[in-house]
Amino acid sequence: MATRSEVLSDIALLRQSLRRAGSPHLPLLKLEGWRPIMDILVDVAAICAALAVALHEPWTSSLALLVLGNRQRALGNILHDAAHRNLMRDQVLNDLVTWALIAPLLFVSLPRYRDLHFRHHLDLGAKGADPDLIPIPPMKARSWVSAVAVNALSVRAVLGSAFGHLLDKGVPRRERLYVLAWWALLVAALIAVTGAGAALRMLALWLAARCTVFHLITIVREMCDHHGLMPGGVFSFTRDLKATGLWSALIHPRNNAYHLTHHLLPAIPYYRLPDAQRLFATLPEYQERACVCEAYFSGPERAVASWQQEPAR
């Protein structure tokens, strides 16, 4: 089982290597406050468009669920950066924007998310301590599809995807009431503009997307980050996934696939992670110890290979 000392040792090793190289990472720490705001607006516009089309053309509902689930995941990744205070340098403004635009939309308490996520970073891979740890089976599944199915069918995971922190007893009542009040105002506004029937259909689509597409994307994403690796520090238990194309856009919007890079230096904002990974790849310590995958489902460097048993020869 990993200990905090192993996690902190790996982070210190990477930072020592950066200092020896003359600290070339410093420009990558610069925040551009306009960037997440623009990305949030893009996501909201895509959500509104998907809902509008689905209301007028019900046969497009399946496509709407795909768009909604993917944009929910994209907004979740911006929320993740907000938890690290990587949206804006002003920490008060960082949290105000998050509470106003992102956290309630995703049924999330920012303080609770931040607390759990920081524990994930410090107690990475530690059973009973890492809140994001997907159970490590004593024997790998026969196929990666089976591995995904086992984790996707977890009742706890489904409820977490569907309702966020609304059912989390660790969240103060006032914060859950804020989320519910935020949604009550949103639904009331939608009823005023579109009518009760349309507003309720939009709400149903939003919840259905969270239970299906968003849930499955989240499970696969989390498995890509750590599953199938050996706890024992950041390098041994975290991947960087350099895949591009449609799978990357679907599963890891907002560069979230560069998870090892993020764990090694969490202060880097999401829009600079590809550049950071390319920089880290020039460092001897990263070259020797990093787990880097080039694809999701095919090829010798695919992420799913370590989720399943080796094929019989």
Side-chain angles (χ1 to χ4, degrees), residues 70 73 217 220-221 224 246-253 296-297:
N70 174 252
R73 184 64 269 154
I217 290 174
V220 173
R221 184 214 66 169
C224 286
L246 289 177
W247 283 123
S248 180
L250 177 65
I251 298 170
H252 281 114
Y296 287 90
F297 306 112

Side-chain angles (χ1 to χ4, degrees), residues 100-228:
L101 300 178
I102 311 173
L105 185 61
L106 301 177
F107 307 138
V108 166
S109 156
L110 178 58
R112 179 62 168 169
Y113 182 97
R114 182 173 282 148
D115 174 60
L116 293 173
H117 190 66
F118 282 9
R119 282 165 49 193
H120 166 64
H121 273 262
L122 287 174
D123 297 314
L124 180 65
K127 186 176 181 180
D130 180 353
D132 291 348
L133 179 64
I134 292 177
I136 301 173
M139 181 179 295
K140 291 183 180 179
R142 290 183 178 273
S143 71
W144 67 263
V145 175
S146 299
V148 171
V150 167
N151 293 307
L153 294 174
S154 160
V155 174
R156 177 176 175 271
V158 172
L159 291 175
S161 293
F163 300 110
H165 290 154
L166 291 178
L167 303 180
D168 188 339
K169 295 181 180 179
V171 177
R173 181 179 298 179
R174 65 181 181 278
E175 293 177 12
R176 282 181 281 174
L177 289 175
Y178 168 78
V179 172
L180 291 173
W182 190 96
W183 268 97
L185 288 173
L186 176 61
V187 171
L190 290 174
I191 290 174
V193 173
T194 66
L200 291 177
R201 289 198 296 274
M202 285 189 280
L203 178 60
L205 282 169
W206 183 260
L207 293 173
R210 285 189 63 88
C211 295
T212 56
V213 176
F214 170 77
H215 174 62
L216 186 57
I217 290 174
T218 298
I219 292 296
V220 173
R221 184 214 66 169
E222 291 179 353
M223 292 179 70
C224 286
D225 293 343
H226 305 288
H227 196 66

Side-chain angles (χ1 to χ4, degrees), residues 4-307:
R4 287 190 176 185
S5 62
E6 290 173 314
V7 170
L8 295 174
S9 176
D10 281 352
I11 294 172
L13 180 69
L14 187 282
R15 295 183 182 184
Q16 289 170 6
S17 185
L18 287 170
R19 284 194 291 270
R20 286 196 300 270
S23 299
H25 65 292
L26 294 180
L28 297 174
L29 302 177
K30 182 180 178 181
L31 302 183
E32 297 177 347
W34 61 269
R35 179 67 179 270
I37 295 297
M38 289 299 298
D39 286 339
I40 292 169
L41 293 177
V42 167
D43 291 340
V44 171
I47 289 167
C48 291
L51 290 172
V53 172
L55 286 179
H56 287 88
E57 303 290 345
W59 63 270
T60 65
S61 294
S62 296
L63 178 60
L65 290 178
L66 182 63
V67 173
L68 292 175
N70 174 252
R71 291 303 90 189
Q72 287 167 348
R73 184 64 269 154
L75 287 168
N77 293 340
I78 295 179
L79 173 68
H80 164 262
D81 258 45
H84 284 282
R85 297 185 172 92
N86 285 347
L87 296 192
M88 299 168 186
R89 189 62 62 194
D90 185 313
Q91 295 183 8
V92 173
L93 185 59
N94 178 97
D95 288 5
L96 283 175
V97 168
T98 307
W99 269 118
L101 300 178
I102 311 173
L105 185 61
L106 301 177
F107 307 138
V108 166
S109 156
L110 178 58
R112 179 62 168 169
Y113 182 97
R114 182 173 282 148
D115 174 60
L116 293 173
H117 190 66
F118 282 9
R119 282 165 49 193
H120 166 64
H121 273 262
L122 287 174
D123 297 314
L124 180 65
K127 186 176 181 180
D130 180 353
D132 291 348
L133 179 64
I134 292 177
I136 301 173
M139 181 179 295
K140 291 183 180 179
R142 290 183 178 273
S143 71
W144 67 263
V145 175
S146 299
V148 171
V150 167
N151 293 307
L153 294 174
S154 160
V155 174
R156 177 176 175 271
V158 172
L159 291 175
S161 293
F163 300 110
H165 290 154
L166 291 178
L167 303 180
D168 188 339
K169 295 181 180 179
V171 177
R173 181 179 298 179
R174 65 181 181 278
E175 293 177 12
R176 282 181 281 174
L177 289 175
Y178 168 78
V179 172
L180 291 173
W182 190 96
W183 268 97
L185 288 173
L186 176 61
V187 171
L190 290 174
I191 290 174
V193 173
T194 66
L200 291 177
R201 289 198 296 274
M202 285 189 280
L203 178 60
L205 282 169
W206 183 260
L207 293 173
R210 285 189 63 88
C211 295
T212 56
V213 176
F214 170 77
H215 174 62
L216 186 57
I217 290 174
T218 298
I219 292 296
V220 173
R221 184 214 66 169
E222 291 179 353
M223 292 179 70
C224 286
D225 293 343
H226 305 288
H227 196 66
L229 300 179
M230 182 63 66
V234 179
F235 280 111
S236 69
F237 196 60
T238 317
R239 294 182 185 87
D240 268 338
L241 212 161
K242 294 172 58 180
T244 57
L246 289 177
W247 283 123
S248 180
L250 177 65
I251 298 170
H252 281 114
R254 308 288 182 234
N255 299 318
N256 199 241
Y258 296 93
H259 205 65
L260 172 59
T261 296
H262 166 68
H263 269 265
L264 290 170
L265 197 54
I268 295 176
Y270 66 90
Y271 41 87
R272 300 195 194 279
L273 286 174
D275 290 337
Q277 192 278 331
R278 285 189 286 270
L279 170 61
F280 289 3
T282 67
L283 304 175
E285 291 79 4
Y286 183 95
Q287 293 171 358
E288 294 169 5
R289 303 182 61 187
C291 176
V292 181
C293 294
E294 301 286 344
Y296 287 90
F297 306 112
S298 62
E301 301 298 328
R302 65 192 187 279
V304 301
S306 59
W307 304 357

